[in-house]
Amino acid sequence: MKMKISSVSILNRIQEISAIWPWNGRREQILEGAEKRGLVSVITPVFNGERYVSRLLQSVLDQTYPHVEMILVDDGSEDGTVLAAERYGEAFARRGWRYEIVRAPHKNASAALNRGLPLVRGTYLIWPDGDDRLTPESIELRVRFLLENPSYNCVRSLSSYFDDKTGLPLQREERQGDLTKELLFWDVLEAKTFVCCGCYMLKTRPFFEIYPDRRIPEYDVGQNFQMLLPFLYRYPCPTIRRELYEVAVRDGSSSRRNLTEEERLRRCKAFEQLVDEIAAICGIRDRASERRLLWWKMLRRLDLVRSAERRCQAVKTLWSGD
């Protein structure tokens, strides 16, 4: 049985938090807008996440924002991920929220997202990783910002990091960059600021204007550049300076696995191909931007060579000590 959430209960919630977030006398209009067009779609790809997917799902259920749908795409897991996810069906039903589990053959995270994007019904879109978690007010505060600032089509928050095994806090891994900046395409591409996926919230209408067939380019090197860069090329993205997303640092994750030299080379080439495709999607044709993209490629190649040299030197040092 679905739980109905009345406008009175939502208004009571707004009154409780009004002391920390001013609504400028427009509570009724914002409330009406949230009810009519405020659904947030949460879409998450997951592979072999039996041990940790419950963390993400529970954090979604714990959200203070009342209009959410959850789309979980299993990327051909070989463990009990789907069974673990199915246990949350009743909990989502009790909140009156749509909950979809999509099963797909294993390929990669971007392909998994493409299985879920056609199912999105929301006005807003977030795509947290399957092993991370949202703070309870993560969705509410971001939606509220966009309602209060309707000229923006996206917003992001800060993140914190924690050890997957101990739960203890860890130092931030990505650069924050200049948090006053809103034009972030180049900063994200050049790693001058964070790309942490669960921090960003996009409006779906302009997102699907970029991808009218509801498919992002599929590459083995991730999904965040595809989701973010064409959007950030078109629209400014302000930052809420609160940590509303918590990133799990765990051994064995795809971003921390040690790669062979051949894998590093393939990954570098794939990123270059991906960025070329993104540049085409963005319509980048001016000479200054094309030179900047070429410079980005050259720096990545140089870093690949230097990393290989450091590893070779480490091996030589080890052998010389025998």
Side-chain angles (χ1 to χ4, degrees):
M1 182 178 180
K2 292 186 176 181
M3 180 178 69
K4 295 182 178 180
I5 303 175
S6 69
S7 60
V8 174
S9 64
I10 300 174
L11 184 57
N12 288 339
R13 174 59 183 155
I14 293 172
Q15 290 171 341
E16 291 172 2
I17 60 177
S18 60
I20 62 171
W21 189 286
W23 285 70
N24 301 326
R26 296 193 296 116
R27 294 178 183 173
E28 289 78 11
Q29 294 134 302
I30 292 174
L31 173 60
E32 181 181 2
E35 290 180 331
K36 288 183 177 179
R37 51 185 168 77
L39 180 65
V40 175
S41 297
V42 183
I43 178 170
T44 294
V46 62
F47 175 67
N48 287 347
E50 177 184 11
R51 188 177 63 82
Y52 53 75
V53 71
S54 60
R55 179 167 59 210
L56 182 277
L57 294 174
Q58 189 59 54
S59 78
V60 174
L61 285 166
D62 290 341
Q63 291 302 296
T64 57
Y65 188 74
H67 307 295
V68 175
E69 66 175 7
M70 179 73 215
I71 302 167
L72 186 76
V73 185
D74 178 67
D75 184 31
S77 293
E78 300 165 338
D79 61 2
T81 298
V82 172
L83 289 176
E86 287 175 343
R87 297 189 186 103
Y88 283 82
E90 291 185 5
F92 278 95
R94 284 195 296 271
R95 289 217 62 174
W97 292 353
R98 176 178 173 232
Y99 179 43
E100 298 277 356
I101 301 174
V102 181
R103 303 188 70 166
H106 180 57
K107 188 174 183 182
N108 55 47
S110 55
L113 275 178
N114 282 337
R115 293 293 188 117
L117 286 173
L119 304 177
V120 167
R121 298 177 184 173
T123 301
Y124 309 102
L125 174 65
I126 63 173
W127 63 103
D129 280 340
D131 54 351
D132 298 336
R133 62 193 180 207
L134 305 165
T135 63
E137 288 188 326
S138 179
I139 290 177
E140 179 180 354
L141 292 180
R142 286 183 282 176
V143 170
R144 198 184 317 158
F145 178 92
L146 292 173
L147 289 171
E148 279 281 276
N149 301 274
S151 63
Y152 287 111
N153 286 313
C154 58
V155 69
R156 67 176 186 169
S157 72
L158 303 180
S159 63
S160 60
Y161 288 75
F162 67 95
D163 187 286
D164 175 64
K165 293 180 179 178
T166 66
L168 295 175
L170 298 173
Q171 284 190 324
R172 181 179 292 108
E173 294 190 350
E174 287 188 297
R175 296 178 185 174
Q176 284 192 341
D178 183 354
L179 298 180
T180 66
K181 292 183 70 172
E182 297 182 355
L183 302 178
L184 300 177
F185 174 85
W186 292 107
D187 282 36
V188 167
L189 176 64
E190 297 168 349
K192 295 177 181 177
T193 191
F194 55 93
V195 72
C196 188
C197 59
C199 293
Y200 289 80
M201 176 178 282
L202 314 179
K203 289 183 179 178
T204 55
R205 184 184 295 274
F207 179 79
F208 288 129
E209 287 174 356
I210 296 171
Y211 295 117
D213 60 351
R214 297 196 172 210
R215 293 184 62 83
I216 63 173
E218 294 182 5
Y219 287 82
D220 287 334
V221 290
Q223 71 278 8
N224 293 328
F225 271 19
Q226 300 95 302
M227 295 291 288
L228 278 176
L229 287 179
F231 206 97
L232 297 178
Y233 188 76
R234 289 166 172 79
Y235 304 110
C237 184
T239 303
I240 297 173
R241 299 183 194 183
R242 289 185 58 175
E243 295 176 347
L244 302 179
Y245 185 64
E246 299 175 346
V247 180
V249 177
R250 62 184 179 87
D251 296 334
S253 66
S254 59
S255 60
R256 293 175 174 82
R257 184 174 64 85
N258 290 326
L259 303 178
T260 65
E261 294 299 330
E262 184 178 353
E263 288 173 329
R264 291 175 187 275
L265 180 59
R266 284 203 304 265
R267 185 174 177 84
C268 183
K269 289 182 177 179
F271 262 117
E272 290 188 9
Q273 293 168 355
L274 170 58
V275 169
D276 284 343
E277 187 167 352
I278 288 173
I281 292 170
C282 295
I284 295 176
R285 297 185 181 88
D286 64 285
R287 292 185 64 183
S289 295
E290 288 178 342
R291 285 197 296 268
R292 193 166 180 176
L293 289 172
L294 180 60
W295 182 244
W296 175 83
K297 293 178 183 179
M298 294 301 102
L299 288 177
R300 287 182 61 87
R301 294 177 188 180
L302 180 60
D303 182 66
L304 188 67
V305 171
R306 287 175 173 172
S307 296
E309 290 175 346
R310 286 193 296 268
R311 286 189 292 276
C312 288
Q313 184 59 48
V315 171
K316 290 180 181 178
T317 303
L318 180 64
W319 285 346
S320 65
D322 290 343

